[in-house]
């Protein structure tokens, strides 16, 4: 019991789900259905209110239920048709109609109950008939025959129910394929000509006769049905007759009549005649079938019914195909092609035409190739031609698939090893294919797929046979264009590039190279080698425009070419560009060379390095022409155009230019160029900088631009990182140079600034000033200058008293003081008074000798370790002091002394004077010795010579510079022979 | 101001163009012992025969330097070429450039593995000009080394004279093969050296060989001083009066000598006057 309840519960849940599903699928607006249902409900409810209902009311209720059954069925149909596929599959059809079947059973029970309750009720036949119809329509006709026969049994003769029951039975037997029984009932039915369905009954009867093998009757009743269909009182079954009667004629072996029937009654009879023809053909009647088709074709042509004509010709295609009439099939295809050319047709006819011809060509291809795909030998050449021709026809008729047909042609030709012809077909196909916009969504055919196949086929052709370059290029080009990123294309880029290069078509080679790089940047090394090949070509061709263009690109990073290579290429470009102008320059045609190089310089298409080189070459030419100004200007122009490394490599040339300017005697331009370069390398550690420094410094000195040279080493070069050591060396050089060239004022200011104020360069400047002092002291004219120099030296000594050189200055100043005092010293004459006092005289003489000794002793510091002029002057002074004393002694004339005493006195004095003279001479000789052993200048040098004393007084300094001679002609190391020179 | 500057500049340029030309021009090759080595004493007439070999000596320094510049590529490896340029600058008193190109001449010779005596000599005279006699001496010695060229020998002797070394100078000056030359400068310097050495005979001899050039103030100085030492004061005055060619360096001493001679003459006259007035002394 519990189990039963469970099953019922589950059933209820399941049923509820289904109801919900049905309700969901029920149309929301069922106003008509509901209205009718309500009306039925209303009447039913009303009748049901009558408690004592007779057969009439019961029969009415049965009729109302039958009406409701219709509504139920209608609803079930709707539900069924709208049910999801899965649901329909799950529940099967019967499940959807179970309610109507159940209701039918209920009606049937109630109907049979009425008949049972009221067996003599006059409408029982009608009830049976209703039940028969319900059985037929709502319960698979299981009891249809029974109820219709019961209806006939209980109906009154001649009543409508009898006729309807006969129709029902005739149709029932017809449907049950009980044609003989159906014929008997239809023969009863057709007696009633008042029914509008009479024509239909006649048509059904004609079919019953056909099914029972009575073809002539079938034709006859078919024609009658067709004839009555023209009468508006009857249902028009003419179309059904047309569909069927052709068969009747064929079966009745009256195909010509059939053809005429159609030609006479149908405006477009082709389809019916074709149907007849097919039937005949199926039965193997080629001629009859051909006759029918020909008749129809003639008719269509006569009537200019193109569509009919096409239909017939299409039927012909099938016909010829069936009967293997391939030539006729081909002719018919050509006819269709002609029609299509004149009047392109569409739709089913178009599709059929294509399908049939495609089918035929497919068949022929198989025959031709025997299912082999390549290298077929011993094939039928006419058959090959036929296949190709068919594809041509198809290409006309089905333009959308033209690429395919050309491809198929190619495939066919390829299969029979006609590789070149195949290539051209593939090519034609590809050309068509390329015009198709593959992005379109409504494409009928897979053109994209075909494109790949085409490319493969074209490549296969190239592999099979040797083709002309243009075909190879065509294939490669298309492949890389259509499939830029593709493993095959990846290889083809370089192949295509190489092929173009082989054909000397560099401009065409560029495209694959660039596309290759765009799509395969990782293959950069291969692309670089391609570019190198291209550039090599341009080099070979001396195509400077292209070379320049590519160098510009490479410099901007194209193909990430190595700087060394770019440089190499640029060098080559330069060599080519400059070749002619360099030749001109070598021939001494510098102006022409300059003009050419200026053109290159101004041409913006060339890279900066070419401009730089052009400027350098112009500069060089100007240098050769001796136009230093232009040469320097152009060199300066070139400098910023070079890259640092390139400029560095030009350093030897730049050095050479500077040196050339110097030897051209244009030192100021050499300075200008050196200065410009030095500024460029101001803050770098470039070795050239040191060279430039030396040049600027030394050449400014040569140009006597001392202030500029000084400013350079003391200021400008410091800003450019001149180190202390170098600065010191330069300053010492500067000081020495200034001294060498006797720039007295500058030397004084240097001494004042550095040695005196800053305590710098003392070891250089102080000795120079001392030397200068002695030189100035040599002549009386320069005495003032000497004093001025000494003034500075004294100031120095005051400021730096402990400096070692101050001692040397001190020697000068102390000697000058000493000399001044010393020269004032004089021996006093002997004074005697009125008489000679011997003792007093002796004392006076002794004192004079003592004084002489003292004076000689005082000079000691100036005769040893003293400067040469001091030594010489000191020796002169000592000598002169001796001479003075000697003179005084010789002149002694004592008063009152006479006679022998006087003679002996004078002899004694003479002896003393001679001794002093001898000592004086010793000093003179000493001075002479110093003079001889030294190579020094002094105003006192002449004093110690053997020339006359008068000459000493002249103080002549021998004017060497007056007599020295230039040495202008060198004759070697031998004495030149006397030669006679020609006088110009 | 600018006008003034331009005027000075023009003057300087004019000076430069004619500058450096030795006033002691010698018109005849016979009197020029160094004619085969030095153009310095050539007069214009003689120079005409050596236009190519003696650039700048005629005074056209700017033009001749241009001409030399144009010969650069042909002659840049010749030491002589750079020596000529150096001398042009020397004559133009542009001593820094002169030194530079003389050095370049030496450098060029060095590349050819030899020394170039003229450039060394000329660096010597350059140093003489700048008062660096020791350097000058060294250059002349280098120029002389291994050869018997006259000019550096002569120049070296002149430097020795500057240092009051007549004994050294005479050794050099007497080694010339043509001591009997009538070259006025050579003879003067021989005379001067002999004078310093006290050999007045040789001094007079060489003064006598100066020929037409003996009216120069340098020669007259020596002659006058010799006369002065002999007490021929009137002759001193007479000879000094006859000086026609002035050598600046001797003018001052000549004037001094003249005044000394005049003074001596005055003294002599005074002495003579005294003698006239004094009573005659009768000897016993």
């Amino acid at each position: 019991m519990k189990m039963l309840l469970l099953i019922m519960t589950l059933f209820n849940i399941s049923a509820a789900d289904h109801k919900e599903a049905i309700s969901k699928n029920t149309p929301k607006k069922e106003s008509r259905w509901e209205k009718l249902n309500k009306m039925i409900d209303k009447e039913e409810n009303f009748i049901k209110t009558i408690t004592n209902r007779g057969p009439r009311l019961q029969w009415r209720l049965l009729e109302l239920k039958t009406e409701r059954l219709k509504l139920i069925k209608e609803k079930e149909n709707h539900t069924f048709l709208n049910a999801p596929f899965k649901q329909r599959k799950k529940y099967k059809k019967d499940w959807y109609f179970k309610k109507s079947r159940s209701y039918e059973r209920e009606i049937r029970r109630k109907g049979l109950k009425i008949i049972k309750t009221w067996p003599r009720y006059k409408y029982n036949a009608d009830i049976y008939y209703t039940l028969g119809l319900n059985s037929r329509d709502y319960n698979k006709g299981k009891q249809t025959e029974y109820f219709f026969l019961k209806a006939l049994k209980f109906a009154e003769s001649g009543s409508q129910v009898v006729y309807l029951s006969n129709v029902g039975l005739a149709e029932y037997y017809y449907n049950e394929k009980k044609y003989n029984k159906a014929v008997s009932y239809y023969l009863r039915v057709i007696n009633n000509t008042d029914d509008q369905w009479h024509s239909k009954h006649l048509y059904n009867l004609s079919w019953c006769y056909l099914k029972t093998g009575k073809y002539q009757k079938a034709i006859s009743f078919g024609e009658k049905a067709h004839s009555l269909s023209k009468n508006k009182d009857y249902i028009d079954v003419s179309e059904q007759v047309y569909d069927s009667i052709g068969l009747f004629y064929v079966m009745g072996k009256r195909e010509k009549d059939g053809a005429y029937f159609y030609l006479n009654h149908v405006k477009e009879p082709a389809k019916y005649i074709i149907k007849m023809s097919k039937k005949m053909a199926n039965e193997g009647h080629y001629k009859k079938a051909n006759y029918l088709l020909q008749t129809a074709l003639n008719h269509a042509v006569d009537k200019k019914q193109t569509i009919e004509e096409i239909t017939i010709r299409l039927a012909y295609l099938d016909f010829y195909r069936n009967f293997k009439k391939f030539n006729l099939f081909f002719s018919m295809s050509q006819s269709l092609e002609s029609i299509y050319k004149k009047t392109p047709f569409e739709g089913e006819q178009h599709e059929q035409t294509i399908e049939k011809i495609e089918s035929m060509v497919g068949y022929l291809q198989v025959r031709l190739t025997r299912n082999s795909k390549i290298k077929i030998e011993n094939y039928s050449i006419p058959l090959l031609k036929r296949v190709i021709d068919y594809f041509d026809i198809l290409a006309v008729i089905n333009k959308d698939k033209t690429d395919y047909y050309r491809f198929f042609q190619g495939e066919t030709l390829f299969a029979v090893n006609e590789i070149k012809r195949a290539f051209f077909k593939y090519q034609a196909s590809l050309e068509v294919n390329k015009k198709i916009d593959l992005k379109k969504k409504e494409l009928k055919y897979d053109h994209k797929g075909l494109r790949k196949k085409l490319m493969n086929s074209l490549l296969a052709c190239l592999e099979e046979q040797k083709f002309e370059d243009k075909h190879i290029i065509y294939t490669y080009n298309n492949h890389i264009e259509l499939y830029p990123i593709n493993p095959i294309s990846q290889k083809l880029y370089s192949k295509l590039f190489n092929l173009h290069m082989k054909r000397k078509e560099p401009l065409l080679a560029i495209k694959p190279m660039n596309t290759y790089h765009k799509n395969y940047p990782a293959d950069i090394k291969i692309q670089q080698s391609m570019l190198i090949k291209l550039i090599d070509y341009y080099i070979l061709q001396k195509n400077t425009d292209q070379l320049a263009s590519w160098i510009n690109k490479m410099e901007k990073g194209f193909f990430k070419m190595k700087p060394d290579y770019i440089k190499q290429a640029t060098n080559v470009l330069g060599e080519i560009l400059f070749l002619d102008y360099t030749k001109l320059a070598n021939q001494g045609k510098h102006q022409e060379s300059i003009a050419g190089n200026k053109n290159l310089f101004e041409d913006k298409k060339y890279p900066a390095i070419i401009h730089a080189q052009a400027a350098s070459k112009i500069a060089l030419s100007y240098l050769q022409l001796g136009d230093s100004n232009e040469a320097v200007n152009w060199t300066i122009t070139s400098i910023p155009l070079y890259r640092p490394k390139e400029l560095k490599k030009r350093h030897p040339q730049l050095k050479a230019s500077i040196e050339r300017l110097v030897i051209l005697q244009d030192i100021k331009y050499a300075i200008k160029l050196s200065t410009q370069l030095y500024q460029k390398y101001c803050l770098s550690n470039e070795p050239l900088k040191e060279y430039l420094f030396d040049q600027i410094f030394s050449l400014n000195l040569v140009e006597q631009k001392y202030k500029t040279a000084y400013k350079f080493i003391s200021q400008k070069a410091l800003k450019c990182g001149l180190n202390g050591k170098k600065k010191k060396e330069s300053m010492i050089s500067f000081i020495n140079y200034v001294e060498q060239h006797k720039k007295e004022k500058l030397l004084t200011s240097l001494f004042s600034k550095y040695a005196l104020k800053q305590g710098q360069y003392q070891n250089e400047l102080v000795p120079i000033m001392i030397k200068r002092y002695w030189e100035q002291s040599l002549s009386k004219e320069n005495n003032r200058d000497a004093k001025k120099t000494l003034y500075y030296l004294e100031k120095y000594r005051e400021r730096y008293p402990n400096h070692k050189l101050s001692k040397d200055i001190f020697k000068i100043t102390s000697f000058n003081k000493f000399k001044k005092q010393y020269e004032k010293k004089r021996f006093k004459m002997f004074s005697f008074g009125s008489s000679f006092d011997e003792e007093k005289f002796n004392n006076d003489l002794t004192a004079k000798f003592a004084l002489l000794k003292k004076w000689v002793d005082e000079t000691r510091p100036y005769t040893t370790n003293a400067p040469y002029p001091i030594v010489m002057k000191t020796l002169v002074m000592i000598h002169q002091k001796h001479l003075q004393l000697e003179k005084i002694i010789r002149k002694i004339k004592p008063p009152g002394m006479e006679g022998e005493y006087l003679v002996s006195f004078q002899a004694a004095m003479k002896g003393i004077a001679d001794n002093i003279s001898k000592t004086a001479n010793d000093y003179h000789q000493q001075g002479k010795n110093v003079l001889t052993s030294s190579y020094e200048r002094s105003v006192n040098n002449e004093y110690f010579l053997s020339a006359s004393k008068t000459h000493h007084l002249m103080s002549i300094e021998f004017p060497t510079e007056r007599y020295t001679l230039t040495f202008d002609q060198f004759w070697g190391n031998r004495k030149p022979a006397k030669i006679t020179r020609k006088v110009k | 101001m600018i006008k003034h500057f331009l005027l000075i500049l023009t003057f300087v340029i004019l000076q430069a163009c004619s500058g450096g030309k030795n006033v002691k021009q010698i018109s005849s090759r016979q009197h020029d012992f160094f004619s085969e080595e030095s153009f310095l004493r050539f007069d214009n007439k003689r120079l005409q025969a050596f236009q190519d070999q003696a650039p700048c000596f005629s005074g056209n320094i700017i033009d001749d330097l241009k001409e030399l510049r144009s010969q650069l590529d042909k002659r840049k490896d010749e030491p002589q070429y750079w020596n000529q340029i150096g001398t042009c600058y020397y004559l133009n008193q542009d001593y820094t450039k002169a030194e530079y190109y003389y050095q370049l001449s030496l450098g060029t010779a060095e590349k050819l593995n030899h020394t170039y005596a003229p450039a060394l000599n000329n660096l010597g005279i350059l140093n003489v000009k700048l008062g660096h006699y020791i350097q000058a001496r060294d250059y002349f010695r280098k120029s002389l080394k291994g050869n018997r060229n006259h000019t550096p020998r002569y120049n070296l002797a002149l430097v020795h004279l500057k240092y009051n070394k007549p004994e050294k100078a005479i050794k050099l000056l007497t080694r010339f093969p043509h001591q009997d030359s009538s070259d006025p400068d050579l003879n003067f310097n021989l005379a001067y050296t002999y004078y310093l050495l006290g050999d007045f005979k040789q001094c007079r001899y060489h003064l006598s060989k100066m020929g037409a050039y003996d009216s120069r103030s340098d020669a007259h100085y020596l002659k006058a001083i010799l006369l002065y030492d002999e007490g021929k004061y009137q002759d001193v005055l007479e000879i000094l009066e006859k000086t026609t060619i002035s050598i600046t360096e001797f003018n001052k001493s000549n004037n001094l000598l003249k005044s000394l001679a005049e003074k001596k003459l005055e003294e002599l006259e005074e002495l003579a006057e005294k003698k006239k007035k004094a009573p005659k002394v009768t000897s016993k």
Side-chain angles (χ1 to χ4, degrees), chain A residues 770 773-774 807-816 818-819 859-878 930 937-940 944:
Chain A
I770 293 172
Y773 167 76
W774 289 122
K807 289 175 188 172
D808 294 342
I809 300 166
F810 177 71
K811 278 181 187 173
I812 299 168
T813 50
S814 67
F815 176 75
N816 284 350
F818 169 76
K819 185 180 80 176
T859 63
R860 297 271 178 238
Y862 307 109
T863 49
T864 50
N865 293 325
Y868 176 82
I870 291 176
V871 172
M872 295 304 270
K873 178 65 184 173
T874 308
L875 289 171
V876 169
M877 288 194 302
I878 296 169
V930 174
R937 289 167 68 206
S938 154
V939 285
N940 298 300
F944 297 102

Side-chain angles (χ1 to χ4, degrees), chain A residues 623-628 660-667 695 698-699 701-704 706 737 739-743 771 775 780-781 868 930-938 941-942 945-979 981-984, chain B residues 22-24 34 36-41 49-50 52 57 65 69 72-73 80 82-83 85 87 89-90 94 96-97 99-101 104 116-118 121-122 125 127-128 130 132-135 137 146-152 154-155 158-165 177 185 188-189 192 195-196 216 218 221 225 228-229 248-250 252-253 256 260:
Chain A
L623 260 186
Q624 294 302 319
L625 286 170
D627 189 340
S628 300
R660 171 91 182 167
L661 288 164
V662 171
I663 64 174
L664 272 169
Q665 306 164 45
D666 284 327
I667 291 170
Q695 290 297 319
S698 62
L699 294 177
L701 292 177
V702 171
E703 275 283 294
Q704 298 186 39
Y706 297 102
Y737 199 88
E739 191 274 330
Q740 174 76 11
H741 290 274
K742 301 282 177 188
K743 302 296 161 187
K771 184 185 164 197
E775 281 175 2
K780 285 179 182 172
E781 286 85 1
Y868 176 82
V930 174
L931 174 67
T932 312
S933 62
S934 307
Y935 205 86
E936 301 267 0
R937 289 167 68 206
S938 154
N941 279 2
E942 294 248 352
L945 288 175
S946 303
S948 77
K949 288 174 185 173
T950 319
H951 178 62
H952 300 166
L953 294 173
M954 297 301 111
S955 299
I956 285 178
E957 192 192 5
F958 182 74
T960 306
E961 56 277 14
R962 168 63 62 183
Y963 300 104
T964 44
L965 295 176
T966 56
F967 193 172
D968 307 310
Q969 296 194 100
F970 186 49
W971 304 95
N973 293 333
R974 290 180 291 110
K975 173 94 180 77
K978 283 183 183 176
I979 54 166
R981 294 196 182 93
K982 286 178 185 174
V983 178
K984 283 191 181 178
Chain B
N22 200 321
V23 292
K24 298 179 292 175
F34 303 98
E36 292 189 2
E37 290 181 1
S38 178
F39 295 114
L40 194 66
R41 295 180 301 163
F50 297 94
D52 293 341
F57 282 95
L65 274 173
R69 200 169 178 266
L72 173 71
D73 290 316
Q80 191 191 5
W82 300 113
N83 188 51
I85 291 173
T87 300
Y89 284 111
Y90 171 79
D94 189 342
T96 52
K97 279 191 186 146
E99 183 189 13
Y100 190 87
Y101 290 105
L104 202 56
Y116 189 63
N121 173 81
N122 294 341
I125 61 161
N127 274 289
V128 166
L130 293 167
H132 302 299
Y133 300 101
I134 299 290
Q135 285 103 313
R137 179 195 67 184
N147 67 68
R148 295 188 296 169
N149 291 301
H150 299 326
T151 311
Y154 173 66
N155 288 336
L158 299 178
V159 174
H160 288 326
L161 287 175
K162 190 80 177 177
Y163 282 82
N164 309 90
K165 306 278 184 193
D185 291 324
F188 168 75
N189 285 311
Y192 188 84
Y195 174 77
L196 292 180
R216 293 184 345 192
D218 55 350
Y221 169 75
I225 208 157
Y228 187 91
D229 286 343
T248 323
E249 292 82 350
F250 288 92
K252 197 178 168 186
S253 51
L256 181 62
L260 282 175

Side-chain angles (χ1 to χ4, degrees), chain A residues 497-511:
Chain A
F497 173 86
N498 289 332
L499 185 54
H500 279 308
M501 291 308 295
K502 193 187 89 184
R503 289 166 58 82
K504 297 179 180 174
E505 297 166 341
L507 292 174
L508 296 173
I510 293 165
K511 193 181 170 187

Side-chain angles (χ1 to χ4, degrees), chain A residues 26-39 71 74-75:
Chain A
T26 306
K28 287 180 180 176
K29 288 182 180 178
E30 294 181 340
S31 57
R32 187 192 67 85
W33 191 89
E34 283 170 358
K35 198 176 173 184
L36 288 168
N37 204 31
K38 278 177 184 173
M39 283 171 70
L71 290 174
E74 190 179 320
K75 199 172 183 178

Side-chain angles (χ1 to χ4, degrees), chain A residues 813-826 855 858-859 862 877 881:
Chain A
T813 50
S814 67
F815 176 75
N816 284 350
K817 278 181 189 172
F818 169 76
K819 185 180 80 176
K820 207 172 179 182
Q821 294 297 320
Y822 200 88
E823 282 178 334
K824 283 180 186 171
K825 289 173 181 172
R826 289 275 188 278
W855 286 352
E858 279 174 358
T859 63
Y862 307 109
M877 288 194 302
K881 289 289 180 256

Side-chain angles (χ1 to χ4, degrees), chain A residues 60 240 249 397 452 513 895 912:
Chain A
R60 181 58 196 160
Q240 289 162 292
Y249 282 119
I397 295 171
K452 273 194 177 177
M513 182 180 74
I912 292 167

Side-chain angles (χ1 to χ4, degrees), chain A residues 756-927:
Chain A
L756 201 56
K757 290 178 183 169
Q758 297 178 12
Q760 289 180 319
Y761 307 110
Q762 293 149 309
N763 294 333
E764 289 77 28
L765 286 164
V766 174
I768 287 170
M769 286 293 273
I770 293 172
K771 184 185 164 197
R772 185 171 142 190
Y773 167 76
W774 289 122
E775 281 175 2
Q776 287 167 338
S777 303
L778 284 168
S779 71
K780 285 179 182 172
E781 286 85 1
N782 293 333
N783 207 21
R784 204 172 161 185
D785 294 335
K787 279 182 180 173
K788 199 177 169 186
T789 305
L790 191 58
Y791 165 78
Y792 280 104
L793 286 168
E794 282 173 346
K795 276 183 91 175
Y796 179 82
R797 194 175 69 85
E798 281 170 21
R799 189 155 187 176
Y800 305 99
N802 298 323
H803 193 267
K804 58 178 180 180
L805 292 167
S806 290
K807 289 175 188 172
D808 294 342
I809 300 166
F810 177 71
K811 278 181 187 173
I812 299 168
T813 50
S814 67
F815 176 75
N816 284 350
K817 278 181 189 172
F818 169 76
K819 185 180 80 176
K820 207 172 179 182
Q821 294 297 320
Y822 200 88
E823 282 178 334
K824 283 180 186 171
K825 289 173 181 172
R826 289 275 188 278
F827 288 103
K828 287 180 182 172
M829 297 297 281
F830 289 93
S831 62
F832 296 101
S834 56
S835 61
F836 178 71
D837 183 344
E838 190 174 352
E839 190 180 349
K840 190 187 172 192
F841 172 75
N842 284 340
N843 287 340
D844 195 6
L845 188 64
T846 307
K848 280 187 169 46
F849 272 101
L851 190 61
L852 181 64
K853 189 179 180 294
K854 186 192 167 196
W855 286 352
V856 170
D857 288 344
E858 279 174 358
T859 63
R860 297 271 178 238
Y862 307 109
T863 49
T864 50
N865 293 325
Y868 176 82
I870 291 176
V871 172
M872 295 304 270
K873 178 65 184 173
T874 308
L875 289 171
V876 169
M877 288 194 302
I878 296 169
H879 182 247
Q880 285 178 343
K881 289 289 180 256
H882 281 81
L883 290 181
Q884 194 188 359
L885 185 60
E886 180 201 347
K887 195 176 175 183
I888 289 169
I889 290 169
R890 283 191 198 279
K891 281 184 179 176
I892 295 172
K893 219 174 184 181
M897 193 181 284
E898 289 177 352
E900 285 182 359
Y901 186 74
L902 179 62
V903 172
S904 65
F905 177 81
Q906 283 181 333
M909 287 306 112
K910 187 181 176 287
I912 292 167
D914 286 345
N915 278 335
I916 294 170
S917 176
K918 196 186 171 191
T919 311
N921 283 340
D922 287 346
Y923 280 110
H924 193 270
Q925 188 58 44
Q926 193 180 339

